[in-house]
Amino acid sequence: MGDVVASIYILLASAAMTLLSEGLAYVAVYRRGEYQRAVIRVVDVNRKLEKEKELLVGVEKRERHAKKIQKLEADFKEAMAKMNGMKLVVNITIGLLYMLAYRVLSMRFHGQVVGTLPFIPFEMMRRMSMRGLPSGSEPTDCAFAFVYALAALGLKGTIQKAMGFAPPRVDLGKVKWSLNDGKRWA
Amino acid sequence: MSPSPSSGRLAKSEGSIWVKASTNGGGAWLETDELLDIVYWMRQGIGLVMGVLLGLVGWTGFTGFIVFGLATAWIPVRYYRDFLGIDEDDFGGSKGLVAEGTYPSLAVFVLCWMTIYGFLHSKT
């Protein structure tokens, strides 16, 4: 049962890291009026862009419609750049904190079986699920890295959503991006 | 008596999202983001429940993923089509609804399945 306790410990550590990082982001970014206005702008422009793209226009209005879409795409990219620019420093800080937490937990659980998988993972998955375990371990033995990755994937978005800090839903694939968009980050 | 769209008693974007979600035909009052949120939380719940159930019965093998996949694909679709009366085209198409919350739900499922199974059935 020791491995179950270990995996619950890792889950709780991951949840704690997520709460800490979201708390940090809230204090540094989310609560600022400037950021909130930037988010509203992104959502607003995205909505207009989607609406405009779904519109069917006659041949005579096609060129004007295309120019309008181009302008909205440019506005959208600028709004996204502004919003993301505000989060840049805090995102770097959070990234470093996550790296530190991973390092600490990795040292704590190195070589230890922290869970038992109820299936035999395929080869590529096994490289992660058995990372750091001694040779001779069972294929169903699970190492820290795998549990941590699952916890991050499962908990981060959910905690963000529950706290109301989830980023706006925008389909980045609908906009053509290039390296030189001609706009600087704010 | 459930409110009807024509009565306008629950206008779009007013009222709790969960009240709308639990109302038969409540799709008429939902915004796209609200529906996506409902589907997201539904998938997390399915991941949690399926993980716990499969762990409790000691289910092993990749067939567990098939069972999870079927549940996470079928239940939300039946819910929003039949109970909420949603036409997917009014909410940006089925692609967004099918994808919403799938990966976090899968992670939650594996974590729960693994933990419960390890607690109850593991030999170590």
Side-chain angles (χ1 to χ4, degrees), chain A residues 1 116 118 120 158 161 169, chain B residues 37 40 60-62 100 119 122:
Chain A
M1 219 211 316
T116 305
I120 296 175
T158 302
K161 235 181 195 4
R169 278 191 190 93
Chain B
D37 283 346
Y40 179 93
T60 57
F62 272 96
E100 186 67 20
F119 183 68
S122 171

Side-chain angles (χ1 to χ4, degrees), chain B residues 10-119:
Chain B
L10 281 178
K12 257 198 181 185
S13 84
E14 289 175 19
S16 161
I17 182 178
W18 303 112
V19 170
K20 296 180 210 177
S22 54
T23 305
N24 198 346
W29 302 299
L30 287 169
E31 301 282 353
T32 304
D33 275 352
E34 288 176 330
L35 177 63
L36 288 169
D37 283 346
I38 292 165
V39 170
Y40 179 93
W41 286 112
M42 191 168 213
R43 287 214 163 96
Q44 305 321 300
I46 291 169
L48 182 74
V49 167
M50 292 303 299
V52 168
L53 277 176
L54 265 58
L56 283 173
V57 302
W59 193 300
T60 57
F62 272 96
T63 48
F65 287 97
I66 295 172
V67 171
F68 165 76
L70 289 172
T72 206
W74 187 78
I75 295 173
V77 170
R78 285 277 63 88
Y79 162 75
Y80 64 67
R81 276 189 194 162
D82 298 342
F83 184 74
L84 292 182
I86 295 276
D87 180 356
E88 285 140 330
D89 289 336
D90 294 339
F91 290 84
S94 58
K95 189 177 155 193
L97 289 164
V98 164
E100 186 67 20
T102 302
Y103 289 116
S105 162
L106 178 63
V108 166
F109 164 69
V110 174
L111 280 170
C112 291
W113 185 17
M114 191 178 107
T115 308
I116 304 288
Y117 176 84
F119 183 68

Side-chain angles (χ1 to χ4, degrees), chain A residues 104-143:
Chain A
V104 167
L105 289 170
S106 180
M107 280 163 49
R108 164 76 180 79
F109 292 105
H110 180 74
Q112 184 180 339
V113 174
V114 300
T116 305
L117 294 172
F119 54 89
I120 296 175
F122 47 86
E123 185 59 39
M124 214 163 75
M125 199 176 173
R126 216 178 290 176
R127 280 186 211 148
M128 189 165 202
S129 69
M130 295 183 76
R131 194 184 170 122
L133 293 182
S135 55
S137 299
E138 296 287 330
T140 52
D141 288 341
C142 189

Side-chain angles (χ1 to χ4, degrees), chain A residues 20 22 33 36 50 55-57 74 80 85 94 108 113 134 136 159 166 179 184:
Chain A
L20 174 68
E22 289 305 307
Q36 289 165 12
E50 281 181 355
L55 222 54
L56 292 168
V57 294
M80 281 292 290
I94 287 168
R108 164 76 180 79
V113 174
I159 290 176
L179 286 174
R184 287 183 304 142

